[in-house]
PDB file of all heavy atoms in Angstrom:
ATOM      1  N   VAL A   6     166.158 159.762 238.189  1.00  0.00           N
ATOM      2  CA  VAL A   6     165.262 160.242 239.231  1.00  0.00           C
ATOM      3  C   VAL A   6     165.928 159.911 240.575  1.00  0.00           C
ATOM      4  O   VAL A   6     166.398 158.737 240.757  1.00  0.00           O
ATOM      5  CB  VAL A   6     163.864 159.424 239.123  1.00  0.00           C
ATOM      6  CG1 VAL A   6     162.950 159.892 240.211  1.00  0.00           C
ATOM      7  CG2 VAL A   6     163.280 159.631 237.728  1.00  0.00           C
ATOM      8  N   GLU A   7     165.910 160.922 241.374  1.00  0.00           N
ATOM      9  CA  GLU A   7     166.611 160.769 242.752  1.00  0.00           C
ATOM     10  C   GLU A   7     165.684 161.181 243.885  1.00  0.00           C
ATOM     11  O   GLU A   7     165.213 162.320 243.893  1.00  0.00           O
ATOM     12  CB  GLU A   7     167.863 161.599 242.784  1.00  0.00           C
ATOM     13  CG  GLU A   7     168.655 161.437 244.024  1.00  0.00           C
ATOM     14  CD  GLU A   7     169.937 162.226 244.168  1.00  0.00           C
ATOM     15  OE1 GLU A   7     170.114 163.080 243.217  1.00  0.00           O
ATOM     16  OE2 GLU A   7     170.628 162.135 245.131  1.00  0.00           O
ATOM     17  N   ALA A   8     165.446 160.296 244.794  1.00  0.00           N
ATOM     18  CA  ALA A   8     164.702 160.661 246.013  1.00  0.00           C
ATOM     19  C   ALA A   8     165.708 161.272 246.907  1.00  0.00           C
ATOM     20  O   ALA A   8     166.660 160.555 247.448  1.00  0.00           O
ATOM     21  CB  ALA A   8     164.030 159.363 246.606  1.00  0.00           C
ATOM     22  N   ILE A   9     165.492 162.536 247.264  1.00  0.00           N
ATOM     23  CA  ILE A   9     166.423 163.155 248.170  1.00  0.00           C
ATOM     24  C   ILE A   9     166.102 162.975 249.602  1.00  0.00           C
ATOM     25  O   ILE A   9     166.850 162.771 250.487  1.00  0.00           O
ATOM     26  CB  ILE A   9     166.475 164.746 247.861  1.00  0.00           C
ATOM     27  CG1 ILE A   9     166.921 164.941 246.459  1.00  0.00           C
ATOM     28  CG2 ILE A   9     167.287 165.491 248.832  1.00  0.00           C
ATOM     29  CD1 ILE A   9     166.776 166.320 245.874  1.00  0.00           C
ATOM     30  N   SER A  10     164.770 162.879 249.847  1.00  0.00           N
ATOM     31  CA  SER A  10     164.198 162.617 251.258  1.00  0.00           C
ATOM     32  C   SER A  10     162.892 161.899 250.962  1.00  0.00           C
ATOM     33  O   SER A  10     162.594 161.458 249.855  1.00  0.00           O
ATOM     34  CB  SER A  10     163.912 163.984 251.955  1.00  0.00           C
ATOM     35  OG  SER A  10     162.741 164.594 251.515  1.00  0.00           O
ATOM     36  N   ALA A  11     162.159 161.540 252.067  1.00  0.00           N
ATOM     37  CA  ALA A  11     160.906 160.837 251.981  1.00  0.00           C
ATOM     38  C   ALA A  11     159.803 161.600 251.296  1.00  0.00           C
ATOM     39  O   ALA A  11     158.864 161.016 250.832  1.00  0.00           O
ATOM     40  CB  ALA A  11     160.459 160.455 253.380  1.00  0.00           C
ATOM     41  N   LYS A  12     160.044 162.925 251.085  1.00  0.00           N
ATOM     42  CA  LYS A  12     158.959 163.692 250.379  1.00  0.00           C
ATOM     43  C   LYS A  12     159.398 164.562 249.242  1.00  0.00           C
ATOM     44  O   LYS A  12     158.582 165.341 248.767  1.00  0.00           O
ATOM     45  CB  LYS A  12     158.236 164.612 251.490  1.00  0.00           C
ATOM     46  CG  LYS A  12     157.454 163.775 252.489  1.00  0.00           C
ATOM     47  CD  LYS A  12     156.544 164.600 253.350  1.00  0.00           C
ATOM     48  CE  LYS A  12     155.738 163.843 254.295  1.00  0.00           C
ATOM     49  NZ  LYS A  12     154.876 164.639 255.034  1.00  0.00           N
ATOM     50  N   ASN A  13     160.578 164.500 248.812  1.00  0.00           N
ATOM     51  CA  ASN A  13     161.073 165.264 247.636  1.00  0.00           C
ATOM     52  C   ASN A  13     162.237 164.539 246.935  1.00  0.00           C
ATOM     53  O   ASN A  13     162.819 163.645 247.378  1.00  0.00           O
ATOM     54  CB  ASN A  13     161.382 166.742 247.954  1.00  0.00           C
ATOM     55  CG  ASN A  13     162.580 166.831 248.915  1.00  0.00           C
ATOM     56  OD1 ASN A  13     163.671 166.266 248.642  1.00  0.00           O
ATOM     57  ND2 ASN A  13     162.428 167.505 250.031  1.00  0.00           N
ATOM     58  N   GLY A  14     162.424 165.033 245.681  1.00  0.00           N
ATOM     59  CA  GLY A  14     163.432 164.471 244.852  1.00  0.00           C
ATOM     60  C   GLY A  14     163.670 165.349 243.565  1.00  0.00           C
ATOM     61  O   GLY A  14     162.995 166.344 243.421  1.00  0.00           O
ATOM     62  N   THR A  15     164.492 164.804 242.714  1.00  0.00           N
ATOM     63  CA  THR A  15     164.612 165.466 241.433  1.00  0.00           C
ATOM     64  C   THR A  15     164.514 164.503 240.312  1.00  0.00           C
ATOM     65  O   THR A  15     164.786 163.280 240.455  1.00  0.00           O
ATOM     66  CB  THR A  15     166.016 166.064 241.331  1.00  0.00           C
ATOM     67  OG1 THR A  15     167.075 165.012 241.500  1.00  0.00           O
ATOM     68  CG2 THR A  15     166.412 167.107 242.409  1.00  0.00           C
ATOM     69  N   ALA A  16     164.098 165.004 239.148  1.00  0.00           N
ATOM     70  CA  ALA A  16     164.032 164.189 237.943  1.00  0.00           C
ATOM     71  C   ALA A  16     164.748 165.021 236.856  1.00  0.00           C
ATOM     72  O   ALA A  16     164.650 166.166 236.759  1.00  0.00           O
ATOM     73  CB  ALA A  16     162.513 164.088 237.488  1.00  0.00           C
TER      74      ALA A  16
END
Side-chain angles (χ1 to χ4, degrees):
V6 178
E7 180 182 7
I9 297 169
S10 75
K12 292 192 178 182
N13 64 52
T15 59

